[in-house]
């Protein structure tokens, strides 16, 4: 019997597919829809300490091979998502969900994480290190010194399952340097990747989103090769107890299959979910199972990380 069950951070999930943070997760109604779909679980919208309206509209645009966005971290604030997850824990104690969060400063990050640590939340926490933080500074995860310092401070007090959301890296030496930092800590997972930053999409003679004069994160089919490279590079380099969530360019079951082949234990769907709605989970799962059946694979473990190379 073909199964897409998976296990991550010590928790079992009936399906390896879930939403990507930022899609179908802003409100409780959206999260409930993902929860009741074929997805194995959901992740909340990346929460800041307080409500944020985000950037002015239009800030998201579907484009032929994906999407472009400059959302500006709109979210309902930590308490909105944490309170919902605590209520959901009581209602569906057998299921596990992900809480995504980020601080607008390192201090706020610690305030948020300490609040989660002190709460009764029993799920998995994702710290988003792929958001621009300080004007004039790169995304946190591109600054290895800052990343190491923040993680050292966080793990001094945070004891619950914690993973990190990463931007894409593009240089082999950066994979090496990032892995050397991550391997120092008891991370549950790394999530590869967030959108490719600061792309530009033009229709006729105009940009298509308002913020940053049209510059925005690129998602969808455009980014699958980059996402797969990041998944596999970290699968090769990280301690085996640090698992991988693959995100980027998942339109079909074949795309999900390739993420798992590269080493992913879970696969997130973003742009496709935005375009198609939660029915995408059932379709992609069926396509993934069909590929597995054709190849004689009964579980994800049969092919996870077993990417083949062309020998010399």
């Amino acid at each position: 019997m073909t199964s897409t069950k998976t296990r991550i951070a010590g928790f079992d999930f009936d399906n390896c597919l879930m939403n990507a943070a930022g899609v179908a997760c802003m409100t409780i109604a959206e999260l409930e829809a993902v929860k009741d779909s074929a997805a194995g679980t959901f992740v909340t919208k990346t929460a800041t300490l307080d409500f944020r309206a985000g950037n002015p509209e239009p800030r998201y645009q579907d484009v032929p091979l994906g999407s472009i966005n400059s959302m500006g971290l709109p979210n309902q604030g930590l308490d909105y998502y944490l309170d919902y997850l605590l209520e959901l824990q009581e209602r569906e104690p057998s299921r596990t969900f992900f809480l995504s969060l980020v601080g607008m400063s390192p201090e706020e990050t610690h305030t948020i994480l300490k609040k989660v640590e002190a709460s009764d939340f029993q799920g998995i926490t994702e710290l988003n290190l792929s958001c621009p933080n300080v004007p004039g500074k790169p995304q946190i995860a591109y600054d290895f010194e800052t990343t190491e310092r923040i993680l050292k401070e966080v793990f001094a007090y945070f004891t619950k399952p914690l993973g990190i959301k990463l931007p894409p890296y593009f240089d082999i030496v950066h994979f090496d340097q990032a892995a050397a930092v991550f391997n120092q800590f008891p991370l549950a997972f790394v999530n590869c990747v967030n959108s490719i930053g600061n792309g530009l999409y033009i229709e006729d003679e105009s940009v298509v989103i308002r913020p940053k004069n049209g510059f925005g994160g690129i998602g969808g089919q455009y980014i699958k090769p980059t996402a797969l490279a990041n998944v596999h590079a970290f699968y090769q380099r990280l301690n085996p107890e640090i698992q991988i969530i693959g995100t980027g360019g998942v339109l079909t079951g074949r795309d999900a299959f390739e993420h798992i082949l590269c080493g992913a234990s879970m696969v997130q769907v973003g742009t496709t979910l935005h375009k198609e709605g939660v029915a995408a989970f059932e379709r992609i799962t069926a396509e993934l199972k069909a590929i597995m059946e054709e190849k004689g694979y009964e579980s994800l473990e049969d092919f996870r990380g077993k990417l083949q190379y062309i020998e010399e």
Side-chain angles (χ1 to χ4, degrees):
M1 190 70 181
T2 305
S3 170
T4 58
K5 288 183 178 179
T6 194
R7 183 174 175 84
I8 194 163
F11 297 98
D12 293 308
F13 299 91
D14 288 339
N15 193 0
C16 63
L17 297 181
M18 61 184 292
N19 67 305
V23 184
C25 58
M26 177 75 83
T27 66
I28 288 171
E30 289 177 323
L31 290 165
E32 285 279 307
V34 176
K35 176 182 72 68
D36 295 336
S37 74
T41 183
F42 66 65
V43 60
T44 63
K45 184 78 176 72
T46 298
T48 49
L49 188 58
D50 300 309
F51 169 85
R52 280 178 62 88
N55 289 337
E57 303 274 4
R59 58 194 184 187
Y60 177 100
Q61 179 69 39
D62 285 327
V63 295
L65 292 178
S67 60
I68 183 169
N69 83 87
S70 179
M71 302 296 289
L73 277 174
N75 73 94
Q76 307 288 344
L78 175 65
D79 287 349
Y80 178 91
Y81 302 106
L82 189 55
D83 289 348
Y84 167 61
L85 287 167
L86 292 173
E87 181 270 326
L88 192 54
Q89 250 172 222
E90 296 291 319
R91 184 160 36 108
E92 301 199 29
S94 64
R95 295 189 67 182
T96 304
F97 301 96
F98 289 71
L99 171 65
S100 180
L101 49 83
V102 70
M104 298 310 292
S105 66
E107 295 73 27
E108 185 177 296
T109 296
H110 292 309
T111 299
I112 292 172
L113 280 169
K114 284 175 179 174
K115 191 164 188 174
V116 175
E117 172 73 14
S119 76
D120 291 329
F121 177 59
Q122 300 300 315
I124 303 171
T125 303
E126 176 181 271
L127 176 60
N128 191 339
L129 294 182
S130 56
C131 289
N133 204 329
V134 180
K137 294 280 188 180
Q139 296 185 46
I140 298 171
Y142 286 152
D143 182 337
F144 298 125
E145 198 175 301
T146 299
T147 297
E148 185 174 354
R149 188 183 72 247
I150 288 174
L151 291 177
K152 196 172 288 184
E153 292 167 354
V154 165
F155 282 109
Y157 61 84
F158 199 82
T159 62
K160 297 180 177 183
L162 178 72
I164 50 177
K165 178 75 172 277
L166 298 175
Y169 297 99
F170 302 97
D171 198 303
I172 296 296
V173 72
H174 292 154
F175 292 131
D176 294 338
Q177 291 171 336
V181 172
F182 303 151
N183 279 334
Q184 297 176 46
F185 303 101
L187 290 164
F189 66 88
V190 298
N191 186 344
C192 308
V193 293
N194 207 332
S195 55
I196 295 179
N198 295 313
L200 195 63
Y201 190 87
I202 297 167
E203 285 183 353
D204 192 15
E205 296 181 11
S206 174
V207 300
V208 296
I209 57 173
R210 184 185 302 274
K212 295 166 61 177
N213 290 329
F215 282 73
I218 301 296
Q221 291 167 270
Y222 296 111
I223 78 166
K224 189 180 79 166
T226 298
L228 293 177
N230 277 257
V231 168
H232 196 57
F234 282 116
Y235 183 76
Q236 292 172 308
R237 288 166 175 78
L238 292 179
N239 298 333
E241 58 270 21
I242 303 178
Q243 293 176 275
I244 317 282
I245 296 178
T247 308
V250 179
L251 177 65
T252 67
R254 174 69 200 186
D255 301 324
F257 178 83
E258 290 176 8
H259 270 277
I260 297 159
L261 191 67
C262 285
S265 294
M266 203 107 191
V267 178
Q268 294 187 344
V269 184
T271 297
T272 297
L273 176 58
H274 186 273
K275 291 183 175 185
E276 202 173 312
V278 295
F281 291 118
E282 189 172 358
R283 175 184 61 77
I284 295 170
T285 302
E287 292 170 358
L288 173 57
K289 283 184 172 180
I291 293 168
M292 291 171 64
E293 286 168 5
E294 183 185 327
K295 293 179 175 290
Y297 297 142
E298 293 184 358
S299 73
L300 305 188
E301 295 303 323
D302 291 342
F303 65 98
R304 177 183 293 115
K306 296 180 181 176
L307 181 65
Q308 298 172 25
Y309 309 126
I310 299 173
E311 300 297 335
E312 292 295 335

